[in-house]
């Protein structure tokens, strides 16, 4: 039950972050290289969340 709750919460957070990053690319005035740092930070944040949820068991 704890693993299912972790997966559901993690998926909600990942979908929110991906949606937040992709809404920046809808504007015609914002190019890909303007949004690239946002994508990098989102990938780092998602990676940290996955590591914290599944691999960091002290």
């Amino acid at each position: 039950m704890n693993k299912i709750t972790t997966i559901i919460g993690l998926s909600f957070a990942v979908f929110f972050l991906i949606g937040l990053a992709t809404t920046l690319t809808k504007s015609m005035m914002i190019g890909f290289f303007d949004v690239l740092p946002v994508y990098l930070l989102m990938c780092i944040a998602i990676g940290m969340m996955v590591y914290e949820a599944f691999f960091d068991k002290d």
Side-chain angles (χ1 to χ4, degrees):
M1 186 65 180
N2 192 15
K3 190 72 95 171
I4 294 171
T5 308
T6 303
I7 291 172
I8 291 171
L10 190 64
S11 66
F12 281 147
V14 167
F15 288 144
F16 174 74
L17 290 175
I18 291 173
L20 191 67
T22 55
T23 54
L24 292 173
T25 60
K26 301 295 182 190
S27 176
M28 298 295 279
M29 299 178 72
I30 300 174
F32 175 74
F33 291 110
D34 296 330
V35 186
L36 188 62
V38 176
Y39 283 137
L40 292 175
L41 287 174
M42 292 299 170
C43 289
I44 291 170
I46 290 169
M48 288 171 60
M49 284 192 306
V50 169
Y51 179 76
E52 175 79 23
F54 295 113
F55 302 116
D56 190 28
K57 302 294 183 199
D58 287 336

